[in-house]
Amino acid sequence: MMNPLEIISSFWMDYYDGLMITLQLSAIGALLAGVLSLPLALARLHAHWMLQLPLRVYVSFVRGTPMLAQLFLIYYGSGQFRPLLEELGLWVFFRDPYYCALMTFVLNSTAYQIEIMRGGLTGVPHGQIEAASAIGMSRFTMYRRVILPHAYRISWPALGNEIILLIKASALASVVTVFDLMGKTRLIFSKTYDLSAYLWATVIYLLLVVMLVWVWRKLEVYFNAHFYSERLTTQKRSKNEYQYEK
Protein backbone atom coordinates (compact mmCIF):
# COMPACT_ATOMS: atom_id res chain seq x y z
CA MET A 1 0.00 0.00 0.00
CA MET A 2 1.38 3.39 -1.00
CA ASN A 3 1.46 6.48 1.13
CA PRO A 4 -1.45 8.79 0.09
CA LEU A 5 1.06 11.57 -0.50
CA GLU A 6 2.99 9.28 -2.85
CA ILE A 7 -0.20 8.72 -4.86
CA ILE A 8 -0.79 12.41 -5.47
CA SER A 9 2.90 13.16 -6.08
CA SER A 10 3.26 10.27 -8.54
CA PHE A 11 -0.01 10.70 -10.43
CA TRP A 12 -0.81 14.42 -10.11
CA MET A 13 -0.49 14.83 -13.88
CA ASP A 14 -3.10 12.09 -14.45
CA TYR A 15 -5.44 13.79 -11.99
CA TYR A 16 -4.86 17.11 -13.75
CA ASP A 17 -5.63 15.63 -17.20
CA GLY A 18 -8.78 13.99 -15.84
CA LEU A 19 -9.87 17.20 -14.14
CA MET A 20 -9.54 19.13 -17.42
CA ILE A 21 -11.80 16.61 -19.19
CA THR A 22 -14.33 16.84 -16.33
CA LEU A 23 -14.29 20.63 -16.54
CA GLN A 24 -14.72 20.54 -20.32
CA LEU A 25 -17.68 18.15 -20.17
CA SER A 26 -19.37 20.06 -17.34
CA ALA A 27 -18.76 23.58 -18.66
CA ILE A 28 -19.68 22.88 -22.30
CA GLY A 29 -22.68 20.79 -21.24
CA ALA A 30 -24.00 23.48 -18.87
CA LEU A 31 -23.36 26.27 -21.38
CA LEU A 32 -25.10 24.57 -24.31
CA ALA A 33 -27.98 23.57 -22.05
CA GLY A 34 -28.25 27.18 -20.88
CA VAL A 35 -28.46 28.40 -24.47
CA LEU A 36 -31.11 25.83 -25.41
CA SER A 37 -33.21 26.03 -22.26
CA LEU A 38 -34.41 29.65 -22.53
CA PRO A 39 -36.19 29.42 -25.93
CA LEU A 40 -37.55 26.01 -25.01
CA ALA A 41 -38.83 27.37 -21.67
CA LEU A 42 -40.56 30.21 -23.54
CA ALA A 43 -42.06 27.67 -25.92
CA ARG A 44 -43.14 25.60 -22.91
CA LEU A 45 -45.03 28.65 -21.61
CA HIS A 46 -46.43 30.29 -24.71
CA ALA A 47 -46.47 27.80 -27.60
CA HIS A 48 -49.55 25.92 -28.75
CA TRP A 49 -50.22 22.79 -26.70
CA MET A 50 -49.43 20.64 -29.78
CA LEU A 51 -45.89 22.04 -29.74
CA GLN A 52 -45.64 21.79 -25.96
CA LEU A 53 -46.48 18.08 -25.99
CA PRO A 54 -43.11 16.80 -27.33
CA LEU A 55 -41.31 19.12 -24.89
CA ARG A 56 -43.30 17.69 -21.99
CA VAL A 57 -42.54 14.13 -23.11
CA TYR A 58 -38.84 14.95 -23.45
CA VAL A 59 -38.62 16.61 -20.00
CA SER A 60 -40.59 13.81 -18.34
CA PHE A 61 -38.42 11.13 -19.97
CA VAL A 62 -35.14 12.77 -18.93
CA ARG A 63 -36.28 13.52 -15.38
CA GLY A 64 -37.80 10.08 -14.95
CA THR A 65 -34.85 7.96 -16.10
CA PRO A 66 -31.28 7.57 -14.77
CA MET A 67 -28.58 9.49 -16.59
CA LEU A 68 -26.55 6.27 -16.87
CA ALA A 69 -29.37 4.66 -18.86
CA GLN A 70 -29.52 7.73 -21.12
CA LEU A 71 -25.76 7.51 -21.70
CA PHE A 72 -25.96 3.81 -22.59
CA LEU A 73 -28.88 4.46 -24.95
CA ILE A 74 -26.90 7.08 -26.85
CA TYR A 75 -23.49 5.40 -26.86
CA TYR A 76 -24.42 1.74 -27.31
CA GLY A 77 -27.83 2.33 -28.90
CA SER A 78 -26.38 4.41 -31.72
CA GLY A 79 -24.55 1.30 -32.94
CA GLN A 80 -27.91 -0.19 -33.91
CA PHE A 81 -28.32 2.59 -36.45
CA ARG A 82 -24.76 2.58 -37.76
CA PRO A 83 -25.65 2.23 -41.49
CA LEU A 84 -28.03 5.18 -41.30
CA LEU A 85 -25.61 7.29 -39.25
CA GLU A 86 -22.77 6.49 -41.68
CA GLU A 87 -24.99 7.53 -44.58
CA LEU A 88 -25.74 10.83 -42.81
CA GLY A 89 -22.07 11.37 -41.92
CA LEU A 90 -22.82 11.28 -38.18
CA TRP A 91 -21.09 8.02 -37.26
CA VAL A 92 -17.83 9.87 -36.53
CA PHE A 93 -19.70 11.71 -33.76
CA PHE A 94 -21.55 8.74 -32.25
CA ARG A 95 -18.58 6.36 -32.22
CA ASP A 96 -16.64 8.77 -29.97
CA PRO A 97 -17.48 8.21 -26.25
CA TYR A 98 -16.50 11.80 -25.41
CA TYR A 99 -19.10 13.28 -27.77
CA CYS A 100 -21.75 10.78 -26.65
CA ALA A 101 -21.13 11.71 -23.00
CA LEU A 102 -21.27 15.41 -23.87
CA MET A 103 -24.53 14.94 -25.79
CA THR A 104 -26.02 13.08 -22.82
CA PHE A 105 -25.07 15.85 -20.42
CA VAL A 106 -26.49 18.55 -22.70
CA LEU A 107 -29.80 16.73 -23.19
CA ASN A 108 -30.09 15.92 -19.49
CA SER A 109 -29.21 19.39 -18.19
CA THR A 110 -31.40 21.10 -20.81
CA ALA A 111 -34.48 19.29 -19.50
CA TYR A 112 -33.82 20.41 -15.94
CA GLN A 113 -32.90 23.96 -16.95
CA ILE A 114 -36.12 24.29 -18.98
CA GLU A 115 -38.15 23.68 -15.84
CA ILE A 116 -35.92 25.97 -13.76
CA MET A 117 -36.30 28.80 -16.28
CA ARG A 118 -40.03 28.16 -16.59
CA GLY A 119 -40.30 28.64 -12.83
CA GLY A 120 -38.23 31.83 -13.04
CA LEU A 121 -40.35 33.27 -15.84
CA THR A 122 -43.63 32.56 -14.06
CA GLY A 123 -42.18 34.01 -10.84
CA VAL A 124 -41.74 37.52 -12.25
CA PRO A 125 -44.24 39.84 -10.45
CA HIS A 126 -47.16 40.55 -12.77
CA GLY A 127 -47.29 44.15 -11.61
CA GLN A 128 -43.85 44.86 -13.08
CA ILE A 129 -44.94 43.44 -16.44
CA GLU A 130 -48.05 45.63 -16.37
CA ALA A 131 -45.94 48.67 -15.45
CA ALA A 132 -43.55 48.00 -18.34
CA SER A 133 -46.49 47.63 -20.70
CA ALA A 134 -48.08 50.84 -19.37
CA ILE A 135 -45.02 52.94 -20.28
CA GLY A 136 -45.14 51.63 -23.84
CA MET A 137 -42.38 49.01 -23.90
CA SER A 138 -42.52 46.61 -26.81
CA ARG A 139 -42.72 42.90 -26.04
CA PHE A 140 -39.05 42.40 -27.00
CA THR A 141 -37.89 45.32 -24.82
CA MET A 142 -40.06 44.12 -21.97
CA TYR A 143 -38.38 40.70 -22.08
CA ARG A 144 -34.89 42.19 -22.40
CA ARG A 145 -35.15 44.81 -19.67
CA VAL A 146 -37.75 43.50 -17.22
CA ILE A 147 -38.78 39.86 -17.52
CA LEU A 148 -35.49 38.07 -18.28
CA PRO A 149 -33.37 39.92 -15.67
CA HIS A 150 -35.96 39.08 -13.00
CA ALA A 151 -36.34 35.50 -14.23
CA TYR A 152 -32.59 34.87 -14.10
CA ARG A 153 -32.34 36.39 -10.61
CA ILE A 154 -35.09 34.05 -9.42
CA SER A 155 -33.57 31.02 -11.18
CA TRP A 156 -29.94 31.72 -10.30
CA PRO A 157 -29.63 29.53 -7.14
CA ALA A 158 -31.39 26.59 -8.82
CA LEU A 159 -29.20 26.92 -11.93
CA GLY A 160 -26.10 26.77 -9.73
CA ASN A 161 -27.41 23.64 -8.07
CA GLU A 162 -28.03 22.07 -11.48
CA ILE A 163 -24.42 22.73 -12.53
CA ILE A 164 -23.15 21.14 -9.31
CA LEU A 165 -25.24 18.05 -10.04
CA LEU A 166 -23.85 18.00 -13.58
CA ILE A 167 -20.25 18.12 -12.29
CA LYS A 168 -20.88 15.16 -10.01
CA ALA A 169 -22.81 13.25 -12.68
CA SER A 170 -19.94 13.74 -15.15
CA ALA A 171 -18.19 10.88 -13.35
CA LEU A 172 -20.56 8.57 -15.27
CA ALA A 173 -18.59 9.32 -18.44
CA SER A 174 -15.87 6.98 -17.18
CA VAL A 175 -18.13 3.95 -17.72
CA VAL A 176 -17.95 4.49 -21.51
CA THR A 177 -14.14 4.80 -21.38
CA VAL A 178 -13.90 8.60 -21.19
CA PHE A 179 -10.83 9.40 -19.10
CA ASP A 180 -12.27 12.20 -17.02
CA LEU A 181 -11.29 12.63 -13.37
CA MET A 182 -13.07 9.43 -12.33
CA GLY A 183 -11.75 7.55 -15.37
CA LYS A 184 -8.18 8.53 -14.54
CA THR A 185 -8.76 7.60 -10.90
CA ARG A 186 -9.91 4.13 -11.90
CA LEU A 187 -6.77 3.82 -14.02
CA ILE A 188 -4.57 4.89 -11.09
CA PHE A 189 -6.32 2.41 -8.79
CA SER A 190 -5.77 -0.41 -11.29
CA LYS A 191 -2.03 0.32 -11.13
CA THR A 192 -1.67 0.79 -7.36
CA TYR A 193 -4.66 -1.02 -5.76
CA ASP A 194 -4.61 1.82 -3.22
CA LEU A 195 -7.99 3.24 -2.15
CA SER A 196 -6.40 6.62 -1.44
CA ALA A 197 -6.57 7.12 -5.22
CA TYR A 198 -10.34 7.56 -4.79
CA LEU A 199 -9.79 9.71 -1.70
CA TRP A 200 -7.84 12.24 -3.77
CA ALA A 201 -10.52 12.19 -6.48
CA THR A 202 -13.14 12.91 -3.81
CA VAL A 203 -11.09 15.82 -2.48
CA ILE A 204 -10.70 17.28 -5.99
CA TYR A 205 -14.45 16.98 -6.71
CA LEU A 206 -15.20 18.63 -3.35
CA LEU A 207 -12.79 21.52 -3.99
CA LEU A 208 -14.28 22.00 -7.45
CA VAL A 209 -17.82 22.22 -6.07
CA VAL A 210 -16.76 24.54 -3.21
CA MET A 211 -15.09 26.91 -5.68
CA LEU A 212 -18.17 26.91 -7.92
CA VAL A 213 -20.48 27.60 -4.95
CA TRP A 214 -18.25 30.51 -3.87
CA VAL A 215 -18.17 32.07 -7.36
CA TRP A 216 -21.90 31.49 -7.87
CA ARG A 217 -22.68 33.12 -4.52
CA LYS A 218 -20.53 36.16 -5.39
CA LEU A 219 -22.36 36.53 -8.70
CA GLU A 220 -25.72 36.17 -6.96
CA VAL A 221 -24.86 38.99 -4.55
CA TYR A 222 -23.63 41.12 -7.48
CA PHE A 223 -26.82 40.61 -9.51
CA ASN A 224 -29.00 41.33 -6.45
CA ALA A 225 -26.93 44.18 -5.02
CA HIS A 226 -30.01 46.35 -4.44
CA PHE A 227 -31.77 43.61 -2.50
CA TYR A 228 -28.81 42.94 -0.18
CA SER A 229 -28.27 46.69 0.28
CA GLU A 230 -31.88 47.16 1.36
CA ARG A 231 -31.69 44.18 3.71
CA LEU A 232 -28.48 45.49 5.29
CA THR A 233 -30.08 48.90 5.80
CA THR A 234 -33.15 47.29 7.41
CA GLN A 235 -30.97 45.22 9.74
CA LYS A 236 -28.97 48.31 10.81
CA ARG A 237 -32.19 50.27 11.38
CA SER A 238 -33.65 47.47 13.51
CA LYS A 239 -30.43 47.21 15.51
CA ASN A 240 -30.39 50.97 16.18
CA GLU A 241 -34.04 50.95 17.24
CA TYR A 242 -33.39 48.04 19.58
CA GLN A 243 -30.41 49.82 21.19
CA TYR A 244 -32.43 53.05 21.54
CA GLU A 245 -35.32 51.26 23.25
CA LYS A 246 -32.89 49.44 25.52
Side-chain angles (χ1 to χ4, degrees):
M1 182 175 178
M2 295 179 69
N3 185 316
L5 293 179
E6 289 181 24
I7 292 284
I8 194 66
S9 61
S10 302
F11 297 101
W12 69 269
M13 198 62 202
D14 294 279
Y15 282 116
Y16 175 78
D17 291 340
L19 177 61
M20 290 299 105
I21 297 297
T22 294
L23 286 174
Q24 281 180 24
L25 287 171
S26 304
I28 297 173
L31 186 63
L32 291 178
V35 171
L36 294 171
S37 62
L38 178 58
L40 293 176
L42 290 171
R44 180 82 172 75
L45 283 173
H46 302 298
H48 190 271
W49 71 269
M50 290 285 286
L51 293 175
Q52 288 188 33
L53 188 59
L55 269 179
R56 290 188 179 194
V57 172
Y58 158 62
V59 171
S60 299
F61 175 79
V62 170
R63 294 201 303 180
T65 56
M67 186 187 283
L68 183 60
Q70 297 162 18
L71 179 59
F72 281 172
L73 279 175
I74 292 175
Y75 182 59
Y76 294 113
S78 60
Q80 303 294 316
F81 304 96
R82 180 172 178 173
L84 176 62
L85 292 172
E86 283 181 333
E87 187 178 344
L88 296 173
L90 296 174
W91 181 241
V92 176
F93 179 91
F94 283 97
R95 75 179 179 184
D96 190 319
Y98 177 89
Y99 291 127
C100 288
L102 181 60
M103 183 176 177
T104 304
F105 296 155
V106 172
L107 291 175
N108 186 279
S109 189
T110 298
Y112 284 95
Q113 290 194 38
I114 286 173
E115 291 303 295
I116 292 171
M117 286 307 303
R118 189 170 68 88
L121 289 165
T122 54
V124 177
H126 194 65
Q128 296 193 9
I129 299 173
E130 289 180 339
S133 179
I135 62 175
M137 281 189 182
S138 66
R139 193 172 182 81
F140 176 77
T141 306
M142 199 185 306
Y143 264 96
R144 185 170 63 87
R145 302 189 66 175
V146 178
I147 298 176
L148 291 183
H150 276 286
Y152 273 106
R153 285 194 192 101
I154 295 169
S155 307
W156 194 254
L159 288 173
N161 192 50
E162 167 56 23
I163 295 175
I164 289 171
L165 293 176
L166 190 61
I167 291 173
K168 292 189 291 185
S170 67
L172 294 175
S174 63
V175 301
V176 291
T177 69
V178 175
F179 288 105
D180 66 333
L181 180 56
M182 186 53 70
K184 286 288 186 181
T185 302
R186 291 172 62 183
L187 199 60
I188 293 168
F189 180 75
S190 68
K191 294 176 181 175
T192 61
Y193 294 102
D194 193 320
L195 281 175
S196 58
Y198 286 105
L199 173 65
W200 285 114
T202 305
V203 170
I204 295 171
Y205 274 115
L206 181 61
L207 289 175
L208 190 59
V209 169
V210 168
M211 288 175 61
L212 175 67
V213 169
W214 183 79
V215 172
W216 210 257
R217 176 65 178 165
K218 289 289 181 185
L219 290 172
E220 183 182 346
V221 172
Y222 175 77
F223 292 141
N224 295 281
H226 64 289
F227 170 74
Y228 288 100
S229 176
E230 289 175 3
R231 192 171 68 174
L232 187 61
T233 304
T234 305
Q235 287 175 348
K236 285 182 178 178
R237 189 183 299 125
S238 301
K239 186 177 179 181
N240 291 336
E241 290 175 355
Y242 173 75
Q243 289 176 343
Y244 177 75
E245 291 174 356
K246 191 175 179 181

